């Protein structure tokens, strides 16, 4: 199941879910500072025993991913991993995410980071070809 950490991630999460044919839902998020957020899962969200993939655009400090991981684990998720487009977090933030139970974070390579797993150049080149610019 793909899960977005907030309503702003919904278009992105739903597009990824649709592309791979996976179910998805999004948390309701209240931010109380850079590293202090409260997340609430929708009442219909199935979690118990599932492998969850968090999908987000930017991970700056990991606060939202930590809160999401903790909430998902309390609800009985089998495992929680994440994929983000831009990883900006420090190694200390990465260690905090791992300590919270987040198994793995993968990111696109638009910002150099140890979690880079997905190259953007082929995607951008294909888009340019489709527009007749390459």
């Amino acid at each position: 199941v793909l899960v977005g950490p907030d309503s702003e991630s919904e278009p992105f999460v739903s597009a990824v879910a649709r592309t791979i044919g996976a179910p998805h839902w999004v948390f309701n998020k209240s931010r109380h500072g850079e590293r202090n957020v409260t997340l609430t899962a929708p009442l219909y969200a199935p979690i118990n025993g599932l492998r969850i993939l968090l999908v987000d655009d930017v991970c700056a400090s990991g606060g939202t991913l930590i809160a999401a991981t903790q909430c998902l684990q309390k609800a009985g998720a089998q495992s929680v991993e994440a994929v983000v487009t831009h990883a900006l977090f420090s190694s200390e933030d990465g260690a905090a995410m791992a300590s919270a139970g987040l198994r793995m974070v993968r990111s696109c390579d638009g910002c150099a980071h140890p979690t880079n797993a997905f190259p953007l150049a082929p995607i951008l080149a294909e888009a340019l070809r489709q527009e007749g610019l390459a």
Side-chain angles (χ1 to χ4, degrees), residues 49-61:
L50 297 178
R51 180 177 175 204
I52 305 291
L53 179 64
L54 292 166
V55 180
D56 204 2
D57 55 356
V58 177
C59 180
S61 69

Side-chain angles (χ1 to χ4, degrees), residues 85-90 107-118 120:
T85 54
H86 303 296
L88 306 175
F89 59 90
S90 69
S107 65
C108 298
D109 66 355
C111 299
H113 196 271
T115 62
N116 289 164
F118 307 111
L120 290 174

Side-chain angles (χ1 to χ4, degrees), residues 30-121:
S30 299
R31 184 175 288 282
H32 312 287
E34 176 63 27
R35 296 175 187 265
N36 186 9
V37 297
T38 303
L39 300 178
T40 308
L43 295 176
Y44 62 83
I47 299 169
N48 193 41
L50 297 178
R51 180 177 175 204
I52 305 291
L53 179 64
L54 292 166
V55 180
D56 204 2
D57 55 356
V58 177
C59 180
S61 69
T64 298
L65 294 182
I66 288 171
T69 299
Q70 291 170 336
C71 185
L72 291 163
Q73 287 180 327
K74 285 179 187 171
Q78 174 188 331
S79 65
V80 182
E81 299 179 27
V83 61
V84 299
T85 54
H86 303 296
L88 306 175
F89 59 90
S90 69
S91 58
E92 291 82 12
D93 293 330
M97 286 186 278
S99 291
L102 187 59
R103 286 185 53 196
M104 183 180 293
V105 178
R106 296 174 193 87
S107 65
C108 298
D109 66 355
C111 299
H113 196 271
T115 62
N116 289 164
F118 307 111
L120 290 174

